Amino acid sequence: MSKLLPRYWNLAQLQETLVIIMLGADVMEFPINPLFDINRLKLGIKSSQPKISIPDVLLVIIALWKQGARAMTRYQDKAGSSLPAAMYKSRMRSGSVGVSAAYGQMSKDVVAAAHVQEQFIRLFNEMYSTRPDFKHACRHTDVIDDMVEIMFNAVCNTESLKPEEELAMKDSNSLILDTDILPESSPSSPISKDSILVDVSDSPSILKRGGSSQLVTKTSPHVNKRTASMLTRFRSASMSSEISTPNPPVNPLRDTTLEALLEFIVNISVDSITDPLDKNLTGLNLVITSFPPSTTENQTTFESYLMTHISQSLKSSLQLESELLEDNRVLTNVARFCQIASDAVLQGRFMNGAEQTYDLLASVLESLNTNNTSSRYGPSENTITMLYRAFNRMILLKISELEQGVIDSEQISAFLGYCIHHQKIILSPKNTDMEFLRCLCYHLYQFLMMHDDNVRADAANFWKLLILQKYDAIASIFKVRVRGIENDELIDGFRHMLEMDTDSFFVWIDSRKLDLNLLFKEHIYKTWENVITQENKYSRETMKNSQIKRINKLKKLQKRQMYQDEVLQDYLAKTKAWSKSIQEVEVGRFTKALQDNDGHENLISSEWVRISADLTRDRAIWGTKKDSESAKWRLDYTECRHRMRKKIQRIETIASLPYLPKQTNASSSETQGVCVDKNVEKVVDEQLSNSPVSIKSNINDDIAGDDYRTSSNEEEDEDELSYEEDKNRKVIRLLDQNDMVIDVYNISQISGLDAREGLLLLCKNNIYLIDNFFQRADGEVVEIWKVPRKERDEYLILVAQAAGMETEPTVSLDGDMHNCRKWANTDLKEIYKRRFLFRDVALELFFADGQNALLTVSLKERDELYTKLASRVTLYEDSTESIIGAGEKEYLTNTLSGAFKLSNLFGTSILSELTQRWERRDITNFQYLMYLNTVAGRSYNDLTQYPVFPWILADYTSEDLNLENPDTFRDLSKPMGAQTSERRLEFADRYRQWGETNDPAPAFHYGTHYSSAMIVCSFLIRLEPFTQHYLKLQGGTFDHADRLFDSIGKAWESASEKNMGDVRELIPEFFYLPEFLENVNKFNFGVKQGTGEAIDSVVLPPWAHGDPKVFIMRHREALESDYVSANLHHWIDLIFGFKQQGQAAIDALNVFHHVSYEGAVDLDKITDVVEKTATIGIINNFGQTPRQLFKKPHPTRMLSSTDVATLGFYPFQDHTDKLVQSIRPVKGVSSNQQLFIPSDGQRYIEWGFTDFSLRLFSSESGKVS
């Protein structure tokens, strides 16, 4: 607005509207009339008393003033002369705009508009004095800068420079600020005879207008020609003007608009000084430092101009309102201003300022000496000292000027007479500056030694005043030893001058001239020289600091202007684009209508297919009986309590293509290569990904869409309009009604060995995962296969392909191309940072419905996305809502839920607390191990980092499993490679031999890992989708039957004793999922070569009696047994603890390949593609060691107890007699959600979900229990 509106500066109604907007008032309540009247606006503001709501509008109004000032200047220049003052006296009395015919060549409209601006300026000046909120808005750097720039250009008759131009000038003079100004002076040479001539003045005036003289001595740097260039940088102003450095002339203000603005700026400054609450002189400092970019000469001219008006206005205000000085806070501000003014005078920044500053100080000090106030805020000692300090500096400045030029007796006499006139101030008891008094005495002595009788007489008279009024101070000055001579007689001589005539005193002076010269010229003279040194040093530091501040201000101004220009250019570009887009709106609307119509038809079609399938599915109302023998099953990814995945679902649309076992070389040539069915694979993965609220997008809408419609339309109507589908709009159609997209991320969803690229939408109400879409850099959403490879995450593609993962999009048999999953924000329960192939690019999300997703994003977006998702997490009230779960509600409610929103959710404190709960047996061994896996970064979604569980039992041959016998269990203190003495010796020898080689790679015990993608898939080979993953790893066929997992006992023997390349541990499914042990899908795994035995379901130990459920139950009992509880900490030390790495790992025979450890390799730093691919292959195939969680030995678990008093409750299995039947077995039934509520009211059962699940809810929280 500040750039675009100034062209309309002459519209009074525009400025009126902006004022109303600034005040936050309703424009409708202030009707805008064609004839502007400032009184009507004042009345409206006074009656409504609105507050300043939008202070930034003030900058826009000032921009209009600036443009108006430029217009007035142009018209005045064209007129050839400045406007006569009489022209402004012909305005109409009513306050409305009136124009006189006397303007001649001037434009009536311009003059009228300028008058309107003057009225607004005076209105703002009035508001500044009466409204604190408006005063606060005006005291802003940008506001003051803009107003001062208008005055600056008018006073200096110039246009502002660019910030970089002034910065260039500052850089060219930067060496001056770094040069020492005052070399060490000589202790000799009195000033009276040997002062260096710097400034010459022959004007008889006492207080003359400023020049360029500086406090100097013979040893000052001005003697040295080398430092002559410094004079222009550190010149000072004095009371004469004849020898002044030329400065640009000050132009008189040419119209009353500028006069009003000057009055406004001066009012801001004076108000800042007289405001008791403004201790920092905020308004004043803003004004005197707000010069626009310009030359130093123009800045000096304008600062002098401003300081003159501020000084005069302040003096008038203090005279009219004498009570202001009774407040010490105001007096302190006045003293600070006087100090600022005196600094400016001495540094040459306040031309003609010595007289103004001297008069102001004299007026203030006389007023203080006349009025003795006893108010609460009376003058403080520091304030009085500050005032006298500034006054004394002006006196010394005049003395320095007198001694620098040709000695003029008349000027010295006049100066001494002026000092005698102000003797009450100079010799006041409050003026305690001894340095000033010493300097004054030194110069009075110099005057006594002159040959002019009048000067000597005036000096003697002033000496009498000194002796009368400050005898003690004078005596202290004389009481010194100079060259071993006491000066007591000298002070007596000066004291007797009161009793003798002047001639006798002069005779005495001549008689003691030698002693007096020693006193004054050898001793007191040093004080004068020190004062000069301190003043010049102070001036140098002050100028240097001011230059630094100025440079910083210019840099900020430069950035501000660049930002404003960028915003303006961006606005203009966008406006142009918007204007152009208006022409395409109607065509776009019509195109969208066609797309919406087609989309609606496709949605109805897909919904009909979904409803029909739901009505005719197995066990549905119109479902048909299917042959259970031919049914195919898969593991659903939905997790229940303690992260267990127990749900098995039928694969409805699986094709009847064979899975072929490994063939011999002779027969492989006769076998067709149909091994992995991509459609089957896609169906399985998509069914696993679908949540109960999955949304289907029909393939006809994408593949057949344009081509099919075009071909049909060409047959029917060649003139039919065709269009290209808007993918953004299609994505929006997948959202719920009234939902709004906030953030969009390109992600890859990791599922087993697959990476499906798509979009993550963070919306107002929900979170969406949509497959096979990609958002390009310009925001356009396209199908993933239409994206150029260079725009996709090439690194992710490289990693995925090197790891054997499927990244290319495929189409399912039911036409589901852009599968969409959504969850409400309230369903997001937990989110953890994960590593994918040792890269910090992954996040794992857990939802209330048991679903989860492992996503990878770009490295630079991972932390940002984590922060946004973490803010959406709903803290669970019940411990059962945690993905880990716990035994008691109260504990996790007070710990995990409250700690989740910390960036370090699983920090040491939380881990320690859960460990203590495990020690106290508050949670089970299974829960604790699952918790450790989760904290260590193990995930069901990444087969290379699958959760790892220990082998528990060593007895797989007995008919009955004896959990009381220690021999039944494996040695948990040793890794699988050290279960027998023979293996321990062999692996130890392998490690030793490796260390003796010259191979730079670290030595290791095992060339394989206890957990890898192949190990997981081999265990779960009988259950989809792990069958598909296994086939990918094996190249499309099953391995030889002899190498497949077919017997738990044989797998134990292989891992613990017989196979030196097998050190695998177990997976969680061994403790809760019996279905993975059965060949439920009737896969043909082939037959063993030696025996011809066909591989089918897993052979179970005798004590399982052939029942997988019995095996799982007994295996879980073994995990929770007392022996395992007492020894599990040893295994934790090996996998997650201190024995995982370092010397402890070497001693425990627990060292694996170095690439498997976290931090061992950084793929982002590997530049060679071949090396990077090989490293990725090692990580993927070998396996990854979990993150180390414990640095010290893990504590042991407490012994179990059955004492009811100790437990605090009755164990259910041992006290079934305590159960009581409910009087009301069923509380009520809801036909909508189909739920039953038991009589205790603590839990209720609900079913009827689209995933056919049966859920238990908490009655109190309504959450899944």
Side-chain angles (χ1 to χ4, degrees):
M1 294 174 68
S2 299
K3 298 289 186 180
L4 301 176
L5 289 184
R7 68 182 66 180
Y8 309 107
W9 70 274
N10 58 327
L11 297 179
Q13 292 76 12
L14 174 60
Q15 296 196 47
E16 184 179 7
T17 303
L18 289 174
V19 172
I20 295 171
I21 294 174
M22 178 184 67
L23 296 174
D26 189 354
V27 179
M28 298 299 296
E29 298 179 359
F30 292 85
I32 306 301
N33 296 327
L35 184 62
F36 172 72
D37 188 351
I38 192 68
N39 294 323
R40 183 177 67 252
L41 180 60
K42 289 181 179 179
L43 182 61
I45 295 175
K46 184 177 181 180
S47 59
S48 60
Q49 290 293 325
K51 295 183 179 180
I52 304 297
S53 299
I54 312 177
D56 291 340
V57 178
L58 188 57
L59 296 174
V60 183
I61 298 175
I62 297 175
L64 269 63
W65 297 352
K66 186 185 302 183
Q67 185 65 25
R70 293 173 181 170
M72 285 295 295
T73 302
R74 286 196 302 268
Y75 279 113
Q76 289 167 355
D77 293 340
K78 289 180 181 179
S81 61
S82 60
L83 290 176
M87 292 183 181
Y88 291 96
K89 298 181 181 179
S90 61
R91 296 177 183 135
M92 299 179 64
R93 298 179 180 178
S94 63
S96 18
V97 177
V99 182
S100 172
Y103 287 112
Q105 301 179 27
M106 299 293 292
S107 170
K108 296 181 180 181
D109 293 338
V110 172
V111 175
H115 177 46
V116 170
Q117 285 195 348
E118 177 189 350
Q119 292 177 315
F120 275 105
I121 294 173
R122 298 192 184 279
L123 172 62
F124 282 12
N125 195 1
E126 179 182 345
M127 293 173 61
Y128 185 88
S129 302
T130 58
R131 294 175 61 102
D133 57 340
F134 186 73
K135 177 186 293 187
H136 178 73
C138 289
R139 287 187 177 182
H140 191 275
T141 304
D142 296 340
V143 175
I144 300 296
D145 285 351
D146 290 350
M147 288 196 297
V148 169
E149 183 179 358
I150 300 174
M151 287 302 306
F152 186 92
N153 295 336
V155 171
C156 299
N157 193 23
T158 183
E159 288 293 331
S160 303
L161 302 177
K162 295 181 179 179
E164 51 268 23
E165 294 177 345
E166 184 178 348
L167 285 172
M169 292 188 293
K170 301 289 184 187
D171 293 338
S172 64
N173 297 326
S174 61
L175 291 178
I176 297 178
L177 295 178
D178 298 328
T179 307
D180 192 9
I181 293 180
L182 288 175
E184 186 175 355
S185 58
S186 172
S188 61
S189 302
I191 294 179
S192 60
K193 295 182 180 180
D194 300 321
S195 296
I196 304 302
L197 182 61
V198 175
D199 202 2
V200 179
S201 177
D202 55 2
S203 175
S205 173
I206 299 175
L207 296 176
K208 297 179 287 294
R209 300 194 178 273
S212 61
S213 60
Q214 189 173 24
L215 298 179
V216 295
T217 67
K218 181 177 180 179
T219 55
S220 296
H222 305 79
V223 179
N224 192 342
K225 295 180 180 180
R226 178 176 59 85
T227 59
S229 61
M230 303 177 193
L231 289 173
T232 57
R233 298 292 294 176
F234 293 99
R235 64 180 183 274
S236 305
S238 69
M239 299 180 185
S240 66
S241 60
E242 285 76 4
I243 316 298
S244 301
T245 301
N247 283 279
V250 177
N251 296 320
L253 298 182
R254 304 172 69 178
D255 61 77
T256 55
T257 303
L258 292 176
E259 293 177 0
L261 183 59
L262 175 62
E263 181 182 345
F264 186 18
I265 295 174
V266 171
N267 182 33
I268 293 175
S269 303
V270 175
D271 179 81
S272 175
I273 300 172
T274 57
D275 185 359
L277 302 179
D278 191 358
K279 298 181 180 180
N280 298 321
L281 300 181
T282 305
L284 174 67
N285 289 326
L286 287 175
V287 169
I288 63 177
T289 59
S290 294
F291 316 123
S294 54
T295 62
T296 304
E297 290 74 13
N298 285 332
Q299 292 178 17
T300 302
T301 300
F302 184 72
E303 183 174 7
S304 302
Y305 184 85
L306 270 183
M307 292 293 291
T308 299
H309 284 83
I310 294 172
S311 299
Q312 294 174 352
S313 178
L314 177 61
K315 181 178 178 182
S316 300
S317 299
L318 296 178
Q319 290 175 348
L320 294 175
E321 302 178 56
S322 58
E323 66 276 2
L324 289 174
L325 295 178
E326 297 178 1
D327 191 334
N328 181 61
R329 297 173 295 178
V330 177
L331 183 61
T332 301
N333 287 350
V334 173
R336 289 174 180 167
F337 171 73
C338 292
Q339 185 179 14
I340 293 172
S342 61
D343 288 343
V345 170
L346 288 169
Q347 296 167 14
R349 295 184 289 106
F350 188 4
M351 298 184 303
N352 311 327
E355 180 180 357
Q356 298 287 342
T357 306
Y358 192 96
D359 288 346
L360 176 60
L361 284 164
S363 175
V364 172
L365 291 172
E366 286 178 355
S367 177
L368 291 177
N369 291 334
T370 302
N371 302 325
N372 295 324
T373 177
S374 59
S375 63
R376 176 182 178 184
Y377 298 104
S380 66
E381 182 178 350
N382 291 336
T383 302
I384 298 299
T385 302
M386 193 183 305
L387 288 169
Y388 276 105
R389 169 66 177 162
F391 185 79
N392 295 339
R393 293 172 74 190
M394 294 295 98
I395 296 294
L396 295 179
L397 177 63
K398 179 58 181 177
I399 294 175
S400 176
E401 177 191 346
L402 292 174
E403 292 199 348
Q404 289 169 26
V406 176
I407 303 300
D408 189 334
S409 301
E410 293 183 2
Q411 290 187 14
I412 296 176
S413 297
F415 170 72
L416 292 174
Y418 197 86
C419 291
I420 293 173
H421 176 73
H422 289 98
Q423 59 176 295
K424 291 184 178 180
I425 301 175
I426 299 174
L427 303 179
S428 172
K430 298 179 181 179
N431 192 353
T432 59
D433 189 350
M434 290 301 296
E435 287 188 348
F436 165 73
L437 188 59
R438 289 174 182 270
C439 295
L440 183 62
C441 291
Y442 168 74
H443 289 93
L444 287 176
Y445 174 75
Q446 295 288 95
F447 297 149
L448 283 176
M449 303 305 295
M450 293 182 65
H451 300 292
D452 189 278
D453 294 337
N454 293 330
V455 173
R456 297 185 71 186
D458 291 337
N461 291 333
F462 201 85
W463 268 109
K464 291 179 181 180
L465 294 175
L466 282 174
I467 297 299
L468 284 172
Q469 300 184 37
K470 283 188 172 290
Y471 176 78
D472 293 338
I474 298 298
S476 65
I477 295 175
F478 278 72
K479 289 182 179 179
V480 293
R481 291 176 59 89
V482 181
R483 297 185 180 180
I485 301 175
E486 300 289 346
N487 297 296
D488 295 340
E489 296 181 1
L490 297 180
I491 186 59
D492 292 337
F494 273 89
R495 179 168 55 84
H496 289 147
M497 73 179 294
L498 301 176
E499 303 171 357
M500 65 179 72
D501 56 25
T502 304
D503 294 335
S504 300
F505 175 69
F506 288 151
V507 172
W508 179 83
I509 288 291
D510 292 336
S511 66
R512 304 303 299 271
K513 186 174 182 179
L514 180 61
D515 295 337
L516 289 173
N517 282 342
L518 288 175
L519 174 64
F520 283 97
K521 296 183 179 182
E522 294 292 335
H523 175 67
I524 301 179
Y525 157 75
K526 294 180 180 179
T527 301
W528 170 241
E529 192 175 50
N530 290 336
V531 168
I532 294 174
T533 303
Q534 292 174 4
E535 282 289 348
N536 283 284
K537 181 179 180 181
Y538 174 74
S539 297
R540 180 187 63 182
E541 294 176 351
T542 304
M543 290 291 290
K544 186 174 182 179
N545 292 334
S546 63
Q547 289 299 318
I548 293 174
K549 292 180 180 178
R550 179 65 180 172
I551 291 174
N552 292 335
K553 180 179 179 66
L554 289 173
K555 290 181 179 179
K556 291 181 180 179
L557 180 61
Q558 186 179 19
K559 291 182 180 179
R560 173 191 168 193
Q561 291 181 355
M562 291 177 59
Y563 173 74
Q564 290 177 345
D565 292 341
E566 290 176 359
V567 171
L568 178 62
Q569 294 302 321
D570 183 64
Y571 169 79
L572 294 176
K574 289 183 178 179
T575 302
K576 183 178 180 180
W578 172 80
S579 178
K580 183 179 179 180
S581 66
I582 291 297
Q583 304 173 9
E584 305 173 358
V585 168
E586 292 302 324
V587 175
R589 291 176 59 186
F590 181 64
T591 301
K592 290 178 181 179
L594 289 178
Q595 182 176 346
D596 288 344
N597 183 64
D598 291 342
H600 184 66
E601 292 179 357
N602 292 329
L603 178 63
I604 293 176
S605 176
S606 60
E607 282 296 303
W608 173 252
V609 171
R610 184 187 65 80
I611 295 174
S612 299
D614 196 37
L615 292 174
T616 57
R617 62 174 171 80
D618 187 25
R619 291 178 293 180
I621 186 173
W622 293 331
T624 58
K625 293 184 178 180
K626 297 182 179 180
D627 184 8
S628 59
E629 295 295 330
S630 61
K632 303 298 180 181
W633 302 89
R634 53 95 175 176
L635 177 66
D636 189 85
Y637 285 166
T638 303
E639 298 179 5
C640 61
R641 296 186 65 186
H642 313 319
R643 299 207 60 192
M644 293 188 292
R645 301 186 299 181
K646 295 184 175 182
K647 187 177 179 181
I648 305 296
Q649 285 191 341
R650 184 194 297 267
I651 304 176
E652 300 291 346
T653 57
I654 194 166
S656 57
L657 294 178
Y659 297 94
L660 300 181
K662 193 78 170 182
Q663 303 291 330
T664 62
N665 294 334
S667 60
S668 59
S669 59
E670 302 175 0
T671 305
Q672 295 180 354
V674 183
C675 301
V676 180
D677 183 6
K678 296 292 183 180
N679 290 327
V680 174
E681 170 193 342
K682 185 66 178 178
V683 170
V684 173
D685 288 341
E686 287 177 348
Q687 290 191 11
L688 292 174
S689 302
N690 290 340
S691 70
V693 291
S694 293
I695 305 172
K696 301 293 183 178
S697 176
N698 197 291
I699 188 174
N700 295 331
D701 195 26
D702 298 280
I703 294 182
D706 293 345
D707 296 336
Y708 176 79
R709 272 193 299 271
T710 302
S711 60
S712 300
N713 291 340
E714 288 176 350
E715 296 177 358
E716 298 178 3
D717 188 355
E718 296 181 358
D719 296 331
E720 183 76 18
L721 178 65
S722 62
Y723 67 92
E724 183 176 358
E725 186 178 35
D726 184 0
K727 304 305 177 185
N728 297 61
R729 191 172 181 83
K730 179 174 181 178
V731 171
I732 294 298
R733 287 204 306 268
L734 297 175
L735 307 184
D736 283 355
Q737 188 175 4
N738 299 325
D739 211 354
M740 179 175 63
V741 177
I742 298 176
D743 290 296
V744 180
Y745 289 90
N746 292 315
I747 57 95
S748 291
Q749 182 176 346
I750 307 302
S751 178
L753 292 178
D754 296 330
R756 294 197 302 274
E757 294 185 80
L759 294 178
L760 171 66
L761 305 184
L762 303 184
C763 298
K764 180 181 179 181
N765 302 321
N766 300 293
I767 299 173
Y768 298 84
L769 283 175
I770 307 177
D771 294 340
N772 295 334
F773 273 131
F774 184 89
Q775 185 182 42
R776 304 181 67 175
D778 58 0
E780 180 186 6
V781 175
V782 297
E783 276 93 354
I784 193 67
W785 51 86
K786 294 183 180 180
V787 181
R789 187 182 184 89
K790 62 181 181 180
E791 292 191 25
R792 296 170 62 180
D793 189 349
E794 296 184 5
Y795 187 86
L796 175 63
I797 295 176
L798 174 64
V799 171
Q801 292 179 347
M805 303 177 67
E806 183 67 42
T807 59
E808 294 301 322
T810 56
V811 181
S812 63
L813 295 178
D814 63 351
D816 188 5
M817 201 175 180
H818 298 293
N819 185 51
C820 175
R821 295 195 292 164
K822 75 169 183 179
W823 294 270
N825 289 333
T826 55
D827 287 339
L828 180 60
K829 293 303 179 184
E830 298 183 19
I831 173 174
Y832 306 121
K833 293 181 179 180
R834 295 290 190 229
R835 309 191 81 187
F836 178 63
L837 296 179
F838 289 145
R839 298 182 67 239
D840 293 317
V841 295
L843 294 173
E844 190 165 21
L845 285 62
F846 294 88
F847 300 94
D849 61 356
Q851 296 288 311
N852 55 64
L854 180 63
L855 311 177
T856 64
V857 293
S858 64
L859 188 63
K860 62 182 179 180
E861 291 181 341
R862 202 276 291 268
D863 291 340
E864 172 191 331
L865 177 58
Y866 174 81
T867 302
K868 293 180 179 180
L869 286 172
S871 64
R872 295 173 177 241
V873 171
T874 302
L875 300 183
Y876 40 81
E877 299 177 359
D878 195 331
S879 63
T880 56
E881 297 179 48
S882 167
I883 64 168
I884 304 300
E888 297 180 6
K889 170 182 177 180
E890 180 180 359
Y891 173 76
L892 284 183
T893 301
N894 295 331
T895 55
L896 287 183
S897 61
F900 176 72
K901 288 201 172 183
L902 298 176
S903 60
N904 185 13
L905 168 62
F906 291 123
T908 304
S909 60
I910 300 301
L911 180 59
S912 175
E913 293 172 3
L914 263 288
T915 301
Q916 292 174 6
R917 286 182 51 78
W918 175 78
E919 294 177 48
R920 299 194 305 265
R921 294 180 175 265
D922 292 339
I923 57 177
T924 64
N925 292 337
F926 181 88
Q927 289 177 253
Y928 188 56
L929 290 176
M930 185 58 72
Y931 171 78
L932 293 180
N933 275 278
T934 304
V935 178
R938 314 298 285 187
S939 171
Y940 282 129
N941 295 296
D942 186 0
L943 295 183
T944 64
Q945 298 186 87
Y946 209 77
V948 55
F949 270 62
W951 284 96
I952 297 299
L953 300 173
D955 182 6
Y956 295 96
T957 59
S958 301
E959 291 292 334
D960 187 21
L961 186 63
N962 183 7
L963 298 181
E964 301 298 330
N965 184 5
D967 294 336
T968 304
F969 301 91
R970 70 166 275 194
D971 188 351
L972 291 169
S973 64
K974 295 180 178 61
M976 289 303 296
Q979 290 296 311
T980 63
S981 58
E982 293 81 3
R983 283 164 67 95
R984 286 197 296 271
L985 292 175
E986 288 193 40
F987 284 122
D989 186 61
R990 174 188 294 180
Y991 184 87
R992 181 183 55 79
Q993 292 178 3
W994 183 278
E996 294 175 353
T997 64
N998 295 326
D999 196 319
F1004 54 86
H1005 291 111
Y1006 311 111
T1008 58
H1009 204 265
Y1010 52 77
S1011 177
S1012 66
M1014 177 55 75
I1015 292 174
V1016 174
C1017 292
S1018 64
F1019 279 141
L1020 301 175
I1021 190 174
R1022 292 163 178 80
L1023 197 59
E1024 293 286 8
F1026 301 98
T1027 307
Q1028 297 293 327
H1029 297 323
Y1030 182 90
L1031 292 172
K1032 289 178 185 178
L1033 294 174
Q1034 283 295 119
T1037 61
F1038 292 119
D1039 197 359
H1040 291 290
D1042 297 87
R1043 292 201 291 259
L1044 293 180
F1045 169 59
D1046 70 316
S1047 170
I1048 296 178
K1050 291 181 180 179
W1052 160 254
E1053 292 176 356
S1054 173
S1056 64
E1057 181 179 0
K1058 294 184 178 181
N1059 191 346
M1060 295 296 293
D1062 184 2
V1063 291
R1064 56 184 163 176
E1065 295 281 4
L1066 299 183
I1067 57 177
E1069 283 79 1
F1070 273 84
F1071 300 93
Y1072 66 81
L1073 185 66
E1075 286 79 5
F1076 87 95
L1077 299 171
E1078 298 182 90
N1079 188 11
V1080 294
N1081 291 324
K1082 309 302 179 184
F1083 293 133
N1084 179 12
F1085 296 114
V1087 297
K1088 295 182 179 181
Q1089 294 182 358
T1091 63
E1093 178 186 356
I1095 302 299
D1096 193 25
S1097 297
V1098 177
V1099 178
L1100 302 176
W1103 46 261
H1105 307 296
D1107 189 345
K1109 295 180 180 179
V1110 174
F1111 171 80
I1112 294 297
M1113 180 186 68
R1114 297 292 287 163
H1115 204 213
R1116 180 64 180 274
E1117 289 179 7
L1119 177 63
E1120 305 299 338
S1121 66
D1122 291 340
Y1123 177 86
V1124 174
S1125 297
N1127 293 276
L1128 185 59
H1129 62 282
H1130 296 303
W1131 185 83
I1132 294 174
D1133 288 335
L1134 294 171
I1135 306 301
F1136 304 104
F1138 79 104
K1139 292 182 180 180
Q1140 184 194 96
Q1141 300 180 34
Q1143 185 61 42
I1146 298 174
D1147 297 339
L1149 273 70
N1150 195 39
V1151 180
F1152 296 85
H1153 195 281
H1154 73 281
V1155 178
S1156 70
Y1157 292 94
E1158 182 179 18
V1161 62
D1162 188 349
L1163 294 176
D1164 295 303
K1165 293 183 179 180
I1166 301 177
T1167 57
D1168 184 68
V1169 177
V1170 177
E1171 181 184 357
K1172 183 181 293 186
T1173 304
T1175 305
I1176 292 171
I1178 293 174
I1179 296 174
N1180 182 70
N1181 296 323
F1182 183 81
Q1184 300 180 34
T1185 303
R1187 181 181 295 118
Q1188 188 176 18
L1189 302 180
F1190 305 99
K1191 302 294 184 180
K1192 297 179 180 180
H1194 193 281
T1196 59
R1197 200 178 194 193
M1198 295 174 54
L1199 298 176
S1200 62
S1201 175
T1202 58
D1203 184 21
V1204 175
T1206 303
L1207 295 175
F1209 61 90
Y1210 289 98
F1212 173 79
Q1213 63 275 17
D1214 298 330
H1215 297 275
T1216 55
D1217 58 310
K1218 302 296 183 182
L1219 296 177
V1220 180
Q1221 183 177 0
S1222 174
I1223 300 176
R1224 295 182 299 168
V1226 177
K1227 183 177 181 180
V1229 178
S1230 171
S1231 59
N1232 185 22
Q1233 295 185 344
Q1234 302 178 353
L1235 58 89
F1236 288 92
I1237 301 179
S1239 59
D1240 58 3
Q1242 298 299 316
R1243 299 286 188 272
Y1244 64 90
I1245 302 172
E1246 185 173 340
W1247 68 86
F1249 300 97
T1250 55
D1251 63 346
F1252 321 121
S1253 62
L1254 185 68
R1255 305 181 187 180
L1256 186 65
F1257 289 85
S1258 170
S1259 299
E1260 180 180 356
S1261 63
K1263 303 295 183 178
V1264 176
S1265 179

